Amino acid sequence: MSNHYFQLLRERFPESILEGKVHSPKRVYLTVKKESLVEVAKFVFRVMDARFSTASAVDCLDRIEILYHFSLDSQDVFISLRVVIPRERPAVPSLSGVIKGAAWIEREMHELFGVNFEGHPRLNRLLLPEDWPENVYPLRKDNQDKDIGKG
Amino acid sequence: MIFLLWLLVSLVVFFGLGIITGWLERKLTARLQWRVGPPWWQNLADFVKLLGKEVVVPETATSFFSLAPVIGLAAVTTAGAMILLAAFQPGSSVDLIVLIYILVLPSLSLILAGASSGNPLASVGVARELKLMLGYELPFILALLVPVVKAGTTNLGVLFRLQLAQGMTVGSISGLLAFGVALLTIQGKIGGVPFDVSEAETEIASGLLIEYSGLLLGIFKLTRWMLTAVAVFFLVFYFWAGLSRVPSAIGKYLLIVILLVLIKNTNPRLRIDQAMKFFWGWLTGISVTAILFAYLGW
Amino acid sequence: MNLLTKALTKSLWVFHLSTGSCNNCDIEILDCLTPRYDVERFGIVLAGSIKHADVLLVTGIGTRKNAKRIQKLYQQMPKPGFVVAIGACSCSGGIFRDGYPMAGPISSLIPVDVWIPGCPPKPEAIIAGLVSLLGKLK
Amino acid sequence: MKKLLVDYEICHRCPKCVVSCSYFFHPGNNGLTALREEIAYSLICRRCENHPCVQACPNGALKEQEGTVRRSPLLCVSCKSCSLACPFGTILPELLPYLKDRCDLCRESRLEDKQRFVCVNTCPYGALRLVEEEEIKEMKNLQLVNNTLVVKAVDWLALYGVKKL
Amino acid sequence: MEKKKKVVVPIGPYHPLLEEPEYFALYCDGEMVVDVEWEAGYNHRGIEKLCESKSWDQVTFLVERICGICSTSHPIAYVNAVEDLAKVEIPERARYIRSIIGELERIHSHLLWVGLAGHFLGYNTVFMWAWKYREPVLDIFELVTGNRQSYAMMKIGGVRRDVRDEDIPVIRKVLDELKPKLEMLTQAVLDDPVLAARLKGVGVLTAQDVKDYGAVGPTARASGVKIDVRKDSPCAAYDLVAWQVITCQEGDVFAKAVVRLLECFESIKIIEQCLDNLGKNKGPIEVEVREIPPGEGIGHYEAPRGEVFHYVRSDGTNRPVRHKIRAPSFVNIPTFRASCLGQTISDVAIILAGVDPCYCCTERMLTVYQADNRRKIMDGREVIRLCQEKTEKLREKMRKR
Ligand code: SF4
Ligand code: SF4
Ligand code: SF4
Ligand code: SF4
Ligand code: SF4
Ligand code: SF4
Ligand code: SF4
Ligand code: SF4
């Protein structure tokens, strides 16, 4: 099943999809160019009518990966769009214009990973305790101390 | 002087009665909810404990903060004294209208308390309690008018005693209707579910009393219990010929308390607008009908 | 034991404060109020406002975001007032001990009178803990 | 291509491995522990017939695979029973951490060259070295563990002063 | 209308309605809610970070403690994710046991919700009754798993404990006794005119809102969106037994209550069928998983409140490299923006409760609504902006107090 969607998206966006991996009949991972993320996500969300489940960021030291997980509930397939961005000044276009529900998770990633979501309506940090220092992102791999951010 | 004595009697009687009634309410509620419930001296223990606690006065509070509970307690005691006087001193001239006025005071003292504590949650409580008061006072007064129409007097003592000769007021259709309305409005007065919007623990965190602690809170709690006792006591005498025989009066008292608890436990809290609709629509309608019936002599 | 203390032991009003817990402890506290356990038998009721409370039941690790509020609430509680730490989290940090949002354990923020360990403690354990608080009062 | 050389003559006497490691997914990771474990199973283990180590493990975490013993990190609870059971001292207790360390031999080109192989630079006893293929041919007592890892085995005879025949 | 004064009613962080710390600020115009703002983080425990320092097996216990109510849903989703990563098939008996535990949890959770909803409405009798009926379910848990909450039943590759044959009749008996009580409760809720007045047409969420916010679980199903992970992506034994997805069309709080109550019956049905099959199927309860290969996996499961989502990444050691958890409330809570505005304060309580929000799981993550941006969203009128600045100041003041 996932193969089918893999082919479909590949044909629809030959330029934007850099790489793809069919993990199992139910899971497919596609690496998408940062510039085309919104376009592809819009297609998956609106045209393919997938449900936006969530997004997750992973710190890989030389890069940050962000995965947007879309679920095609009736087909039991997860399509995960992966965007790879540099670790210094990471930034991606925000999906919150297309998917209202994405606003929250983007704020979370902004706070925990320091990713900048361009075009996000309210990306203000707040949440970690008030005295949390700027530019310390707890879920980055270099912050391992349990006392991080304690000043 | 005599009245002062009665005040003292009232304080003692209704203190005891209030504690017991308060406990009864809790115990019955617990039984309805398949729980065991607290022992009989529970409310007394609560009160005594509160006496020993520190009183925290918030910085934002005004001077009415400590005055409000006293006003409430005084009002309830006075109301109790008037009812006792009317019931047990033949020839006393206690007027129903005055009593009605005094019975408004405990609610007012709550509002005063909420407004003076300077807490935003309390201020919502104030708004609600005010609206609620407007709601229940009208049908309450109308319902009380039914026996007045029948007897043609507002002298409480006469109203109480008249029933001994004519049979109790609830015996007639108009009286029964009026009694029902009075019961429900009393529920509003003592702030029981479904009309506990102003205290609504889960909505606005105990609302009006949120800032109170220690002795002051204790007085409020006590006032609330005493008010219940006074109100129920009043209902027994006013509608149900409480003067006739002591055992049956006690039975009636218990019955009314049970009724109140039942209402409380089988209904969810109403929204304030729903409560208003209920008071001004249904209850007012019913009480007006009752007055009409009373004119017709039913 | 004087009358006031005696009344206090018979009428504990508790305020429930969750400071970064997993809910379990909180549910078990609520469970104590329900028919099977019914702590109202002992005069224990849940208070709606800290100003009304005699006992502060704390669950959870005490997150850094919460730390100041916990202390403030403790100060607002009219004295005499007591603190009961419920669950492994509030006693020691439990499974979340090594997390970065941890400010607790609770005893490092406010004085604790009774510890009730467990993850979550069963309602019986909570009741036993409250009883031991009563014992302490006497 | 360069290979990592572990000089076991030095390592086997070392009280506690203190090298740093550039493996990043698990900070505090000491990749060398994993390497030493691998070395132990592939080079030092005597491959006993009935595997006392395997028998001793209460969780079935050890298993013989392709001639060597392998420890399943998911099952091992780090109780060190195997270490006690092994008659040859193959499995040193410190090689059995509960949270497994990992060395990918800096294979992923994830870092600038100067940050790679920090283990080599941080071993205070100089037990680690990067060697070229040619060098390997010239050295004695060398064992290849895999494509990128070579071990200079302990010269026991020299150690105990026994002359070679 | 311009200079209408707005009152901020803070709910929380310590508010009896919310058993957990949370800060909601309702911007009110009289009794009318004109804006909702909420701030989280009081409960943030950094679980995703902690996961990276625990072994795969330990993480099951940690995710169990994300929240005590969905305390088996998170582990199920997590083991699903790891099994997806490692491509492990679990034995059939384990699948039945997983479903039994999952559905028992659903029953206890829904009953808990009914009780709390009653409590919020001032209907304390309902609270007491629902919780009384919930007790026997917890007894089953204690019998089968040894604990009332946090069952520690899930394990990568199967389940940790078997259900003993002698326990099966006990479970059946409890369920049989539960059924009439549930029916009574359902009837009581459906027939009560006051409840209907309080709940019907209140806090309506449309199917479009559901799609926009990605809402899940009963919150979505009450709005006519038929999604249920158990049906759509059957794990455990959900494709081996017969049951139905419950949906309602109205999207109001009443519909949410109905969905939850009816789901309890489906859960009982599932458990009974699973118990039948347990009797017949005597296989092993787990397969041995020796290693987790490098890779990534996604697992999800229908918790009582909706889909929980777990993403794990492995590098081949015995601890995850990254573990992302998305709990149902995280996507359900934002729907408040759609369902609360224009309602009265006293309804907000029950609307919030209607979603069955739990902050524990959501809170692991950090989310805040800041007033600054909200202002623009609201309507952009300068006057209101000024008004809100005033309220904001008031709020600051209250915070400091
Ligand atoms: S002690 Fe355990 S049950 Fe209680 S809050 Fe902490 S993790 Fe949850
Ligand atoms: S009951 Fe068991 S799992 Fe829970 S804390 Fe105690 S030893 Fe640990
Ligand atoms: S690598 Fe260096 S520090 Fe580590 S064990 Fe060998 S000699 Fe010791
Ligand atoms: S340390 Fe690990 S491998 Fe060795 S016996 Fe213990 S569990 Fe087995
Ligand atoms: S320390 Fe605990 S687990 Fe280990 S043997 Fe003793 S009791 Fe068992
Ligand atoms: S007992 Fe020691 S030498 Fe024997 S097989 Fe096991 S590890 Fe190797
Ligand atoms: S080779 Fe690289 S990964 Fe391996 S131990 Fe050395 S620094 Fe760590
Ligand atoms: S939604 Fe989250 S907090 Fe609520 S019960 Fe489920 S896991 Fe717990």
Side-chain angles (χ1 to χ4, degrees):
Chain A
M1 209 60 228
S2 54
N3 243 320
H4 165 75
Y5 291 104
F6 179 46
Q7 296 306 338
L8 190 141
L9 280 167
R10 263 273 263 270
E11 276 156 32
R12 183 78 171 57
F13 301 100
E15 295 289 294
S16 321
I17 292 177
L18 301 172
E19 201 187 324
K21 193 176 102 207
V22 178
H23 176 75
S24 70
K26 296 177 178 183
R27 309 278 189 261
V28 53
Y29 297 88
L30 298 165
T31 309
V32 179
K33 252 199 227 152
K34 181 175 127 185
E35 294 75 28
S36 355
L37 169 68
V38 175
E39 188 194 354
V40 179
K42 205 185 226 165
F43 180 78
V44 176
F45 185 67
R46 297 251 171 91
V47 182
M48 289 164 74
D49 200 29
R51 176 171 58 84
F52 177 67
S53 190
T54 198
S56 53
V58 187
D59 179 14
C60 304
L61 221 68
D62 60 334
R63 61 184 192 274
I64 285 181
E65 288 179 11
I66 300 183
L67 287 110
Y68 297 87
H69 307 283
F70 289 91
S71 167
L72 287 161
D73 287 318
S74 54
Q75 309 295 326
D76 189 12
V77 172
F78 258 104
I79 301 177
S80 302
L81 304 181
R82 187 197 314 266
V83 183
V84 178
I85 50 178
R87 201 160 174 275
E88 297 302 317
R89 299 176 171 276
V92 269
S94 166
L95 281 188
S96 54
V98 184
I99 307 160
K100 276 190 201 167
W104 272 40
I105 185 70
E106 292 186 345
R107 293 184 66 154
E108 181 191 316
M109 288 188 283
H110 172 68
E111 224 184 333
L112 297 179
F113 287 93
V115 180
N116 184 22
F117 289 88
E118 292 154 352
H120 191 289
R122 43 170 186 283
L123 204 56
N124 24 23
R125 201 287 300 271
L126 230 160
L127 212 287
L128 290 167
E130 294 88 355
D131 55 358
W132 192 272
E134 286 290 325
N135 301 325
V136 176
Y137 304 111
L139 249 58
R140 288 226 183 161
K141 291 286 172 195
D142 37 10
N143 292 321
Q144 288 302 320
D145 190 358
K146 79 173 264 216
D147 292 330
I148 37 167
K150 281 197 183 150
Chain B
M1 200 55 226
I2 292 279
F3 191 70
L4 273 185
L5 193 71
W6 278 107
L7 268 183
L8 206 65
V9 173
S10 158
L11 190 63
V12 173
V13 167
F14 286 108
F15 181 85
L17 211 53
I19 295 275
I20 294 296
T21 314
W23 165 74
L24 216 58
E25 262 184 76
R26 286 172 74 173
K27 184 78 177 176
L28 287 169
T29 307
R31 297 309 306 176
L32 273 175
Q33 296 171 345
W34 278 319
R35 292 187 288 121
V36 178
W40 71 267
W41 35 260
Q42 187 57 54
N43 286 30
L44 186 63
D46 286 349
F47 182 68
V48 174
K49 175 203 75 177
L50 284 172
L51 293 186
K53 294 277 288 187
E54 181 191 13
V55 178
V56 183
V57 179
E59 292 161 26
T60 44
T62 64
S63 50
F64 285 114
F65 189 77
S66 353
L67 200 60
V70 183
I71 296 177
L73 186 64
V76 172
T77 316
T78 316
M82 288 170 68
I83 295 168
L84 287 177
L85 196 66
F88 299 113
Q89 198 168 49
S92 63
S93 58
V94 178
D95 196 273
L96 176 67
I97 310 293
V98 182
L99 183 69
I100 289 176
Y101 271 116
I102 290 185
L103 278 178
V104 176
L105 283 179
S107 306
L108 276 181
S109 77
L110 271 176
I111 291 173
L112 197 61
S116 64
S117 62
N119 184 300
L121 286 177
S123 67
V124 175
V126 167
R128 288 186 180 183
E129 180 73 29
L130 266 173
K131 275 193 201 164
L132 197 66
M133 256 180 80
L134 288 178
Y136 62 67
E137 283 304 337
L138 179 66
F140 181 62
I141 295 171
L142 287 175
L144 294 194
L145 280 181
V146 171
V148 174
V149 169
K150 283 189 164 173
T153 171
T154 55
N155 185 316
L156 259 194
V158 176
L159 282 168
F160 285 173
R161 251 163 285 272
L162 216 56
Q163 295 178 63
L164 293 182
Q166 299 180 346
M168 49 191 176
T169 313
V170 280
S172 62
I173 297 178
S174 59
L176 194 62
L177 288 177
F179 173 73
V181 173
L183 192 69
L184 287 169
T185 47
I186 290 257
Q187 185 81 336
K189 248 188 179 347
I190 59 177
V193 186
F195 310 119
D196 63 337
V197 279
S198 62
E199 263 198 68
E201 201 179 90
T202 46
E203 280 170 26
I204 47 175
S206 308
L208 298 166
L209 298 183
I210 189 164
E211 291 287 348
Y212 277 87
S213 60
L215 173 67
L216 297 181
L217 179 66
I219 296 181
F220 265 123
K221 292 271 172 199
L222 182 66
T223 310
R224 158 86 169 68
W225 302 327
M226 282 174 65
L227 182 63
T228 315
V230 168
V232 176
F233 197 77
F234 175 68
L235 284 184
V236 170
F237 279 85
Y238 196 71
F239 286 106
W240 226 339
L243 270 180
S244 55
R245 272 198 332 256
V246 178
S248 77
I250 295 177
K252 288 165 190 166
Y253 187 93
L254 287 178
L255 199 67
I256 295 181
V257 172
I258 292 173
L259 271 178
L260 287 177
V261 172
L262 274 178
I263 298 174
K264 183 169 137 189
N265 279 294
T266 48
N267 285 291
R269 179 181 314 123
L270 286 175
R271 233 168 24 211
I272 184 83
D273 57 313
Q274 289 165 334
M276 298 299 284
K277 222 181 259 168
F278 183 68
F279 282 131
W280 280 356
W282 282 102
L283 289 193
T284 309
I286 293 175
S287 42
V288 169
T289 324
I291 293 179
L292 282 178
F293 284 178
Y295 264 118
L296 300 176
W298 287 356
Chain C
M1 189 170 59
N2 68 21
L3 184 66
L4 291 178
T5 325
K6 187 158 177 126
L8 184 59
T9 60
K10 299 291 180 208
S11 155
L12 282 183
W13 292 359
V14 300
F15 186 77
H16 166 202
L17 173 65
S18 160
T19 68
S21 67
C22 81
N23 249 352
N24 249 344
C25 286
D26 313 71
I27 299 169
E28 294 293 42
I29 291 175
L30 282 189
D31 240 5
C32 291
L33 306 176
T34 59
R36 180 168 304 174
Y37 301 101
D38 186 28
V39 288
E40 202 188 359
R41 282 178 295 161
F42 314 118
I44 300 172
V45 289
L46 210 56
S49 157
I50 182 70
K51 300 272 170 69
H52 302 184
D54 309 302
V55 180
L56 189 59
L57 297 181
V58 190
T59 63
I61 57 171
T63 56
R64 283 159 64 182
K65 185 140 185 163
N66 268 328
K68 293 223 178 61
R69 283 161 217 274
I70 299 169
Q71 285 162 341
K72 195 169 287 168
L73 271 167
Y74 175 70
Q75 282 155 13
Q76 283 183 350
M77 179 166 61
K79 309 291 167 310
F82 309 91
V83 179
V84 178
I86 292 191
C89 281
S90 54
C91 293
S92 69
I95 200 165
F96 306 114
R97 191 178 51 225
D98 295 327
Y100 59 87
M102 168 94 181
I106 299 304
S107 55
S108 69
L109 301 171
I110 50 176
V112 174
D113 297 281
V114 173
W115 282 265
I116 305 177
C119 184
K122 298 199 169 158
E124 292 90 339
I126 297 179
I127 295 174
L130 288 173
V131 168
S132 74
L133 174 68
L134 294 180
K136 226 177 142 179
L137 281 178
K138 286 172 191 152
Chain D
M1 205 190 121
K2 281 191 182 157
K3 293 181 199 259
L4 180 68
L5 176 94
V6 181
D7 187 341
Y8 231 69
E9 274 194 0
I10 303 178
C11 262
H12 93 279
R13 281 176 297 181
C14 178
K16 186 171 189 274
C17 188
V18 291
V19 299
S20 313
C21 171
S22 71
Y23 187 75
F24 54 93
F25 274 131
H26 304 300
N29 181 75
N30 180 342
L32 216 67
T33 311
L35 287 185
R36 286 163 69 213
E37 192 185 355
E38 196 177 341
I39 293 167
Y41 292 138
S42 54
L43 298 184
I44 305 173
C45 168
R46 311 310 302 160
R47 296 175 170 72
C48 317
E49 220 160 69
N50 51 1
H51 300 302
C53 53
V54 173
Q55 309 230 355
C57 178
N59 292 319
L62 288 175
K63 203 172 168 185
E64 200 220 277
Q65 271 172 359
E66 296 152 16
T68 56
V69 173
R70 298 223 6 131
R71 183 169 68 105
S72 154
L74 217 59
L75 297 177
C76 173
V77 295
S78 195
C79 68
K80 325 258 196 263
S81 309
C82 49
S83 178
L84 279 176
C86 174
F88 299 100
T90 303
I91 313 175
L92 300 176
E94 62 265 31
L95 299 184
L96 302 164
Y98 179 58
L99 293 175
K100 196 177 190 298
D101 294 312
R102 177 160 162 83
C103 167
D104 61 356
L105 287 164
C106 292
R107 247 173 306 206
E108 263 184 61
S109 55
R110 56 181 193 256
L111 297 163
E112 316 258 304
D113 250 1
K114 61 175 172 359
Q115 284 173 293
R116 304 177 66 176
F117 296 104
V118 285
C119 55
V120 173
N121 302 326
T122 49
C123 171
Y125 313 104
L128 308 176
R129 202 143 48 95
L130 289 172
V131 288
E132 302 287 348
E133 301 265 357
E134 296 76 54
E135 257 182 282
I136 296 172
K137 292 198 189 100
E138 294 158 19
M139 293 166 76
K140 285 193 299 178
N141 272 344
L142 278 197
Q143 307 278 348
L144 267 99
V145 175
N146 56 34
N147 292 342
T148 37
L149 181 63
V150 253
V151 175
K152 181 149 182 273
V154 181
D155 186 347
W156 298 104
L157 297 173
L159 192 67
Y160 290 104
V162 181
K163 285 255 160 55
K164 267 190 206 164
L165 295 176
Chain E
M1 69 160 307
E2 316 311 333
K3 283 254 159 161
K4 256 186 206 160
K5 192 150 170 222
K6 297 213 171 56
V7 183
V8 184
V9 179
I11 300 191
Y14 296 111
H15 185 274
L17 158 68
L18 310 163
E19 300 305 338
E20 305 131 69
E22 191 75 0
Y23 183 86
F24 278 93
L26 304 176
Y27 287 93
C28 300
D29 190 350
E31 286 259 323
M32 187 82 85
V33 176
V34 292
D35 202 0
V36 193
E37 178 188 310
W38 80 285
E39 180 181 325
Y42 298 102
N43 215 347
H44 178 78
R45 284 159 289 159
I47 290 178
E48 287 179 13
K49 189 77 174 181
L50 280 174
C51 285
E52 293 169 13
S53 62
K54 304 232 181 278
S55 78
W56 290 106
D57 203 34
Q58 286 174 316
V59 171
T60 20
F61 300 101
L62 184 61
V63 294
E64 197 160 75
R65 279 158 183 80
I66 289 171
C67 162
I69 314 179
C70 291
S71 65
T72 212
S73 302
H74 281 288
I76 294 182
Y78 165 73
V79 294
N80 278 344
V82 180
E83 283 157 12
D84 171 48
L85 192 166
K87 303 216 166 85
V88 176
E89 283 288 330
I90 66 165
E92 194 164 320
R93 190 173 172 85
R95 292 168 66 183
Y96 287 120
I97 296 178
R98 279 190 186 176
S99 277
I100 292 174
I101 301 294
E103 292 313 303
L104 281 172
E105 176 187 85
R106 195 175 317 277
I107 298 175
H108 106 68
S109 169
H110 282 347
L111 279 175
L112 180 141
W113 178 83
V114 170
L116 285 181
H119 179 55
F120 297 155
L121 290 170
Y123 225 147
N124 270 327
T125 315
V126 169
F127 169 56
M128 292 294 174
W129 287 24
W131 282 53
K132 179 182 152 74
Y133 299 144
R134 186 177 154 262
E135 279 306 319
V137 182
L138 296 185
D139 287 346
I140 305 184
F141 276 127
E142 200 164 348
L143 180 74
V144 174
T145 74
N147 209 358
R148 289 159 51 90
Q149 324 260 2
S150 298
Y151 318 114
M153 282 296 273
M154 299 306 144
K155 183 177 184 185
I156 296 163
V159 290
R160 234 170 266 274
R161 271 177 230 96
D162 206 349
V163 174
R164 296 175 301 175
D165 283 341
E166 62 263 39
D167 292 345
I168 293 179
V170 183
I171 303 176
R172 277 187 200 285
K173 185 154 167 283
V174 172
L175 291 179
D176 284 342
E177 282 167 7
L178 190 63
K179 257 186 273 178
K181 291 169 187 165
L182 266 173
E183 259 152 36
M184 184 206 68
L185 208 58
T186 316
Q187 276 313 313
V189 170
L190 291 182
D191 293 346
D192 191 316
V194 190
L195 270 185
R198 246 347 267 277
L199 302 180
K200 278 202 175 141
V202 165
V204 176
L205 197 68
T206 63
Q208 185 57 42
D209 292 334
V210 168
K211 162 100 179 144
D212 282 347
Y213 287 103
V216 290
T219 310
R221 289 197 286 277
S223 302
V225 180
K226 196 169 177 178
I227 47 171
D228 191 321
V229 178
R230 292 173 294 164
K231 246 325 177 238
D232 301 333
S233 173
C235 60
Y238 293 111
D239 48 350
L240 305 175
V241 294
W243 61 284
Q244 276 169 5
V245 179
I246 307 283
T247 52
C248 271
Q249 299 306 320
E250 297 81 5
D252 53 9
V253 181
F254 193 76
K256 286 171 191 157
V258 171
V259 167
R260 291 210 168 88
L261 280 167
L262 295 183
E263 265 178 18
C264 291
F265 294 103
E266 293 301 316
S267 296
I268 293 184
K269 231 162 58 182
I270 296 174
I271 299 171
E272 281 174 343
Q273 295 176 55
C274 288
L275 288 176
D276 288 342
N277 285 313
L278 271 194
K280 290 179 231 145
N281 187 316
K282 287 271 185 285
I285 56 163
E286 59 169 320
V287 290
E288 191 182 72
V289 181
R290 298 187 68 84
E291 246 165 300
I292 308 293
E296 45 197 348
I298 292 173
H300 56 164
Y301 176 70
E302 184 77 17
R305 284 147 193 82
E307 180 207 39
V308 285
F309 172 98
H310 283 233
Y311 164 85
V312 290
R313 182 184 287 196
S314 160
D315 62 348
T317 58
N318 59 350
R319 48 189 150 155
V321 159
R322 174 83 174 101
H323 187 177
K324 166 77 205 161
I325 304 154
R326 205 283 337 272
S329 300
F330 189 77
V331 284
N332 285 343
I333 290 179
T335 63
F336 292 165
R337 290 274 304 146
S339 55
C340 275
L341 301 194
Q343 308 278 346
T344 62
I345 303 184
S346 34
D347 279 339
V348 166
I350 189 67
I351 297 174
L352 299 188
V355 164
D356 203 354
C358 313
Y359 305 106
C360 294
C361 54
T362 317
E363 279 280 318
R364 260 170 341 76
M365 325 177 177
L366 318 161
T367 327
V368 176
Y369 268 100
Q370 251 290 41
D372 309 347
N373 295 315
R374 177 59 55 74
R375 286 179 196 132
K376 283 177 214 120
I377 283 177
M378 225 183 74
D379 53 15
R381 273 178 301 170
E382 190 63 10
V383 206
I384 305 245
R385 199 180 66 77
L386 289 174
C387 273
Q388 290 208 328
E389 248 159 24
K390 197 166 161 189
T391 33
E392 180 65 23
K393 267 182 233 139
L394 199 76
R395 196 167 70 96
E396 274 311 319
K397 222 165 80 196
M398 273 157 23
R399 269 230 197 103
K400 289 201 193 89
R401 206 172 33 75

